[in-house]
Amino acid sequence: MPEVELAPEKFVGDTHPCFFIAEVGQNHQGSLEIAKKLIDAAHEAGANCVKFQKTSLSDKFTKSALERPYDSEHSWGNTYGEHKLYLEFSLDDFIELKSYAEKRNLLFTASAKDIPSLDFLVDLDVPFIKIGSGDSDDFLLLEKASKCGKPLIISTGMQNMNTVRQVYNTVKSHHDGFVLLHCVSSYPTDPVDVNLRVIQQYKKEFQDIVVGYSGHELGTIISVAAVTLGAKVIERHITLDKNQKGSDHLCSLLPQEFKQMVTDIRTIESALGSRNKEFLPCERKCFEKLGKSIVAAKDLLPGDIISKNDVCMKVSVPNGIPAKDLNSVLESEITETVHYDQPILKNHLKI
C-alpha cells in the first residue's frame, strides 16, 4: 500500500486516516490577524495542516501581466501586480504564522508558485511543498521541487491525462514521496464538471503513490464522496466570511462547514470498514429475533429422509438450524418425531 511521510510520524496513504488541508490561500485579506484567526479555525475544525501561497511576482508573472489594469470587485490594487503584492506575506510573517500554526499542532506549508518561492519554503523548512494546478505543468519548477528533499503534493487542475502522466514521471524519477490531487480549476466548480471518477483512474494507473482531491465546489458532499472513491488527502479553502472580497471566498468552507466535513468523512472512513462480508457480532441480537430457521412443513417421523418438500423457512422460537444450512440438512435422516411447524434442531438428525 502506498504511503507518504509528510512530516515525522505524519503519514498519508491507504492504511491511514484521511489527511485534511485547510487552504487559507489568500483569504487572509493581507492581514496577519485574519490569517491567525483562520489558523485557529482550521485547528478547531479538525484540519491536519494549514496552507498558504508564496509567489515571487517577477518570477511568476511577466512585467506586462503585472502592469495590466485590474478593476475587479476583488482587487486590492489598480494593477494585477499591486493586487498580488498586497496579498503577499514577508519572510518574518511566514515565520510568525508557521510558529503560530505549530503551537496548535498544525502542519504549516504553502504552494510554491515559482522557483524562488520554492527556495523560500525550503529555507523556511516547511514539512512538504504544495504545487498548485496552475504550476503543475511548469516542469522546471517540478524537477527542482522533486530534488529538494521534501515530499510534494501536486494538484492537477487544468491538465489532461497525458500531462498528468508527465508530472508523475518527472517526480517519480527522483522519489516516491508525492501525492497527486484530482482538481478542477473552476471557482466554484459545477458538480457536472467535478468528474470524481478521475480519482479511480489515478489510483488504477498510479498504484504506487497516494491520491487525493482538492475541491472548489460549493458545500461538502462532493468532497465526502471523494473519500469513498479512494481520496486520502482532502484540500478545501477555509474562510471566515464568504462575502469578503476575494474570488476564493465563495467556494471556501466556513469553519463549521469544514468541521462538519471532517466529521462526516471520519464517519465514512469508519463505515467503509473491511472488504470481508461476514456475519457480525452486532447482528446476533437481530438474528435471534428475526433470523429464519428450517421448520417442518409436515410431521416428520424417525427414519424419514428430509427432502425440500418436507421443510419450509420461518422465524421460530426456539431458533432451529439456520435457513442458510438447508443443503446440509437435505437427505439427512430424522431420529425423533418433529411435528408440523416446529423448528428442526441438530439433535433431530442422524449425524
Side-chain angles (χ1 to χ4, degrees), residues 1-13 16 19 107 126-129 149-153 175-179 210 233:
M1 294 289 185
E3 66 177 16
V4 176
E5 189 173 17
L6 293 179
E9 302 303 316
K10 300 287 186 181
F11 291 89
V12 295
H16 300 280
F19 184 85
L107 298 184
V126 297
F128 66 90
I129 302 291
K150 299 283 186 182
L152 302 179
I153 294 183
H175 67 83
D176 295 326
F178 65 104
V179 179
V210 179
V233 174

Side-chain angles (χ1 to χ4, degrees), residues 28-39 52 89-90 92-98 100:
H28 50 71
Q29 314 296 91
S31 164
L32 273 178
E33 180 182 358
I34 294 176
K36 290 178 179 179
K37 288 180 179 179
L38 285 165
I39 291 172
F52 289 73
F89 283 141
S90 67
D92 287 343
D93 293 335
F94 266 88
I95 291 172
E96 184 175 345
L97 292 172
K98 182 171 182 284
Y100 192 85

